[in-house]
Amino acid sequence: MEIERRHSPVPDELLGYLRANPSAAQAAADGGVHVHVHHHYAAPPTVPAGAAVHQGPEKTVAERVIPWLYTALLACVVLTLCALVFAMVAVVVVAVLAAVILLGLVAAHVINSHAGAVEAKAKAEALAARSKHRRR
C-alpha cells in the first residue's frame, strides 16, 4: 500500500488501524487501502455585512494604473476640444472688435469731415456777408 503524503505525515497508529479495519469505502480497486487525509485550518475571519470582499489574486500595477490612464486620456481629449472651441470664439471676438474699431474710425472721419465742411461753409458765408456789406 502506498500512502500519499502531501502535507503532513500520517501517524503509524492510524496506518495500523486502517490496515486492520478496511471499510468498503476505503478499499481501493487494487486491494490496497486508500487513505484520504483531511487538513483542518483555522476559520478565516468573518467579513462584516456590506463590506467589499477581494477575491482572486491581487491586481498588478498595470491593472491598477490603466483605468487612470484612460481617464487622463479622456480628460486630455475634453480639454483639447474646449481649447479648440475657445480659439474659434476668440477669433470671432477679435474680428468683431476689429470691425467695431474700424466702424468707429470711419464714423470719426465722417464727423470730422462734416465738421470741417460746416466750418468752411460758415467761413464762406461770413466772407460773402462781409462782401455784401462793403458794397453798400
Side-chain angles (χ1 to χ4, degrees):
M1 177 181 89
E2 184 177 322
I3 296 179
E4 196 175 320
R5 296 180 186 221
R6 291 186 187 170
H7 301 288
S8 63
V10 177
D12 289 333
E13 298 168 2
L14 179 62
L15 291 177
Y17 173 79
L18 291 173
R19 284 186 192 129
N21 301 310
S23 65
Q26 293 179 343
D30 60 357
V33 176
H34 175 75
V35 178
H36 184 82
V37 179
H38 291 275
H39 295 281
H40 297 276
Y41 300 102
T46 58
V47 178
V53 178
H54 177 74
Q55 295 180 347
E58 188 175 337
K59 290 183 176 181
T60 63
V61 174
E63 290 173 335
R64 284 181 278 157
V65 170
I66 285 176
W68 291 104
L69 292 176
Y70 280 130
T71 304
L73 177 65
L74 179 66
C76 288
V77 169
V78 168
L79 289 175
T80 301
L81 292 175
C82 288
L84 182 65
V85 169
F86 176 74
M88 287 191 288
V89 169
V91 167
V92 170
V93 167
V94 167
V96 168
L97 285 176
V100 168
I101 290 171
L102 185 63
L103 182 66
L105 289 174
V106 168
H109 178 70
V110 168
I111 290 171
N112 234 358
S113 298
H114 183 66
V118 169
E119 284 180 20
K121 187 177 179 184
K123 283 183 184 177
E125 287 177 358
L127 283 175
R130 247 191 241 163
S131 62
K132 282 185 182 178
H133 242 284
R134 289 187 183 171
R135 287 188 196 170
R136 293 189 194 187

